[in-house]
Amino acid sequence: MDTGSLLKQVRKIEIKTRGLSQNIFAGQYHSAFKGRGMAFSEVREYQFGDDVRDIDWNVTARFHRPYVKVFEEERELTVMLLVDVSGSLDFGTTRQTKRDMVTEIAATIAFSAIQNNDKIGVIFFSDQIEKYIPPKKGRKHILYIIREMLNFEPQSKRTNVAMATAFLTQVMKRRCTSFVISDFYDRKDFTKEMEIANRKHDVIAIQVYDPRAKFLPDVGLIKVCDAETGHEMVVDTSSAKLRRAHTRYWMEREDALRHVFSKSQVDWTSIATNEDFTKSLIGLFKQRS
């Protein structure tokens, strides 16, 4: 993508996703993702019923009457986006590819984060760590992230979610809120790594899929190609048996994914590329608040 087209695309995504984060997600994001704990705010005079453990003895001695420390929730978070950049994300049969939707979702979360004065960082992954952008604050940093998402060329086309979540556990020393945004086309089991990551951090999974992965249309003979392995084959979509088998495979795969997230206690949502992702994100945020 040339520089002019890239900047135009970045601006288009910024306008759309910043508007969404300001108008729709402002309150939802704030209540759904809590801070790390309680931070000291001020002191005030002791009142009946206050916890004696909160008494500030230095201030009490100075004024000769009891004062207590007042704490408030520490709101600042570090948010990490684990963005799948494998080959399967380039697929799309509706108005946009899975990669387009992943970029918009990630940008919306990023703008929601900076509105809340949170840091945001990104891990781009395939079956290797393609790029790590350490968390920072500010619009300039987010625009850099969006540019990378639009223009990034991964070294590999395959997927390894276990490796990505293990890297998160290793690289982030303090607790953070992490969004894994992927189609989760991964042939390996990643339950253990997801479980470990979610014990240390707050992990949320967002699955993006194309509707044709669920229901195959009757359009006769078509050539299909596995974007991650390059394997090609011709299938006859006029066969009702084949279409039923395709849907059954999808349902089994979704059940397996549901089991992984349930076992690792990770909140998740699933979004088709022909759907309005805002509804799914609002539902996810409400579920957590």
Side-chain angles (χ1 to χ4, degrees), residues 175-193:
R175 183 174 173 82
C176 69
T177 297
S178 312
F179 293 87
V180 185
I181 314 173
S182 172
D183 57 9
F184 294 98
Y185 279 163
D186 190 345
R187 291 170 176 83
K188 302 178 197 71
D189 180 45
F190 52 88
T191 311
K192 182 184 171 186
E193 289 79 6

Side-chain angles (χ1 to χ4, degrees), residues 11-205:
R11 183 68 181 140
K12 185 180 171 185
I13 288 179
E14 181 193 9
I15 291 166
K16 179 177 179 180
T17 57
R18 189 168 61 174
L20 285 172
S21 64
Q22 285 172 343
N23 302 324
I24 299 172
F25 296 120
Q28 298 290 348
Y29 174 93
H30 185 93
S31 58
F33 306 105
K34 311 297 184 203
R36 286 189 299 272
M38 305 303 286
F40 171 72
S41 175
E42 59 183 352
V43 292
R44 61 164 171 77
E45 279 197 64
Y46 177 87
Q47 296 171 2
F48 179 74
D50 285 340
D51 192 332
V52 294
R53 290 173 297 182
D54 291 336
I55 291 176
D56 187 319
W57 295 106
N58 290 329
V59 178
T60 296
R62 198 180 312 144
F63 290 100
H64 306 293
R65 56 183 183 274
Y67 275 78
V68 293
K69 294 176 181 177
V70 178
F71 295 86
E72 62 181 20
E73 187 180 37
E74 189 178 359
R75 276 300 313 157
E76 184 180 297
L77 293 173
T78 296
V79 177
M80 286 301 300
L81 303 173
L82 278 68
V83 178
D84 185 350
V85 291
S86 62
S88 61
L89 271 291
D90 290 321
F91 181 72
T93 61
T94 57
R95 58 189 172 86
Q96 61 181 348
T97 65
K98 287 183 280 185
R99 191 179 304 281
D100 293 334
M101 179 167 270
V102 164
T103 301
E104 287 192 7
I105 291 170
T108 302
I109 293 169
F111 278 114
S112 297
I114 62 159
Q115 275 187 74
N116 205 53
N117 201 35
D118 295 337
K119 292 178 182 175
I120 187 98
V122 183
I123 296 168
F124 291 113
F125 72 94
S126 54
D127 63 348
Q128 60 189 53
I129 299 303
E130 296 280 354
K131 189 179 182 84
Y132 168 54
I133 302 174
K136 285 185 187 175
K137 295 181 183 181
R139 175 177 173 269
K140 187 178 177 183
H141 180 62
I142 286 180
L143 295 181
Y144 166 63
I145 288 170
I146 294 171
R147 276 200 309 273
E148 285 298 296
M149 284 193 284
L150 287 170
N151 218 28
F152 192 78
E153 294 290 340
Q155 296 294 308
S156 174
K157 291 185 177 294
R158 295 174 185 264
T159 310
N160 190 327
V161 177
M163 178 271 316
T165 48
F167 180 78
L168 170 75
T169 305
Q170 176 193 338
V171 79
M172 297 301 295
K173 302 305 178 190
R174 298 185 70 179
R175 183 174 173 82
C176 69
T177 297
S178 312
F179 293 87
V180 185
I181 314 173
S182 172
D183 57 9
F184 294 98
Y185 279 163
D186 190 345
R187 291 170 176 83
K188 302 178 197 71
D189 180 45
F190 52 88
T191 311
K192 182 184 171 186
E193 289 79 6
M194 188 71 78
E195 208 171 341
I196 292 168
N198 197 40
R199 277 204 297 267
K200 184 178 179 183
H201 305 293
D202 180 14
V203 180
I204 301 102

